[in-house]
């Protein structure tokens, strides 16, 4: 398995956890590709007014809301794939990797040993959180990677810590638990 996850746009599928590097590869921004050239992602308050966010009444089959997104105070937003990538490149986050591959990775924030749930479950979680939120953004305890990891796996760290911070993989953490999307607010 190679350690690069860069991919052309035509390789991504709805339900994929994607990311793009920002600011000279210092950090990556993560989101869930939901199809139709749209990405649902968790942003800081500063990024939510960047012009990348689009208003949409379309949604997955599990959501019939006709509200505009994001809701006031909700940092989960939807944008175009182009807006998400900006001037960067597109990468796919890898799931269900071996422990050896995880520890041999070149950069943090690119893979996990945790298995992914089915794509429709991932998309349904992302749309639910788009409408209901994912708590307050915090770089160390509740960030865009945590959002995407939760959408893909349903796993949260109930103590409020980030699932991946300090290279502690959510797939190997003993304190990560499966949480129904309707109960996320109890942990955020």
């Amino acid at each position: 398995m190679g350690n690069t996850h860069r991919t052309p746009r035509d390789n991504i599928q709805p339900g994929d956890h994607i990311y793009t590097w920002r600011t000279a590869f210092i950090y990556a921004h993560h989101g869930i590709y939901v199809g139709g050239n749209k990405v649902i992602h968790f942003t800081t308050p500063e990024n939510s007014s960047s012009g990348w966010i689009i208003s949409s009444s379309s949604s997955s089959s599990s959501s019939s809301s006709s509200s505009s997104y994001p809701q006031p105070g909700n940092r989960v937003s939807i944008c175009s794939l182009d807006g998400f990538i900006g001037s960067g490149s597109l990468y796919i986050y890898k799931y269900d990797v071996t422990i050896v591959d995880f520890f041999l990775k070149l950069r943090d924030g690119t893979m996990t040993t945790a298995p992914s749930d089915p794509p429709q479950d991932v998309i349904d979680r992302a749309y639910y959180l788009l409408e209901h939120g994912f708590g307050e953004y915090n770089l160390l305890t509740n960030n865009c990677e945590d959002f995407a990891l939760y959408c893909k796996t349903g796993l949260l760290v109930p103590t409020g810590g980030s699932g991946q911070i300090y290279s502690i993989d959510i797939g190997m953490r003993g304190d990560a638990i499966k949480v129904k999307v309707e109960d996320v607010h109890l942990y955020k």
Side-chain angles (χ1 to χ4, degrees):
M1 171 180 170
N3 279 322
T4 180
H5 307 135
R6 189 172 178 178
T7 190
R9 292 169 187 249
D10 58 351
N11 280 3
I12 61 172
Q13 299 295 315
D16 278 349
H17 173 169
I18 60 173
Y19 64 99
T20 185
W21 290 102
R22 301 271 199 251
T23 314
F25 292 88
I26 294 173
Y27 71 98
H29 185 55
H30 298 256
I32 299 295
Y33 180 69
V34 294
N37 276 329
K38 294 181 183 176
V39 178
I40 297 177
H41 58 124
F42 189 46
T43 65
T44 63
E46 297 80 35
N47 288 338
S48 64
S49 61
S50 67
W52 294 355
I53 300 168
I54 60 174
S55 176
S56 173
S57 60
S58 65
S59 61
S60 75
S61 59
S62 69
S63 175
S64 60
S65 172
S66 60
S67 304
S68 294
Y69 298 118
Q71 298 298 320
N74 182 1
R75 300 295 174 218
V76 179
S77 56
I78 189 167
C79 69
S80 69
L81 182 59
D82 287 334
F84 179 82
I85 297 169
S87 61
S89 296
L90 180 63
Y91 296 83
I92 292 182
Y93 199 97
K94 301 294 183 184
Y95 282 79
D96 208 16
V97 301
T98 68
I99 292 172
V100 171
D101 282 336
F102 180 79
F103 284 111
L104 291 177
K105 69 186 179 295
L106 296 176
R107 300 284 307 248
D108 288 338
T110 60
M111 63 178 68
T112 179
T113 61
S116 174
D117 288 336
Q120 192 59 53
D121 291 352
V122 174
I123 294 166
D124 290 346
R125 282 187 193 116
Y127 271 107
Y128 184 91
L129 295 172
L130 177 62
E131 189 168 339
H132 298 280
F134 193 65
E136 289 296 318
Y137 187 97
N138 182 296
L139 180 63
L140 299 178
T141 62
N142 196 40
N143 57 51
C144 60
E145 185 178 1
D146 295 318
F147 168 81
L149 281 163
Y150 173 73
C151 289
K152 287 288 282 186
T153 66
L155 294 173
L156 283 178
V157 177
T159 57
S162 174
Q164 295 294 97
I165 204 74
Y166 308 118
S167 299
I168 303 170
D169 180 47
I170 198 164
M172 292 186 268
R173 291 184 69 142
D175 58 347
I177 60 171
K178 197 85 161 178
V179 175
K180 292 180 184 178
V181 71
E182 298 85 7
D183 295 334
V184 165
H185 70 281
L186 300 172
Y187 299 92
K188 295 291 171 188

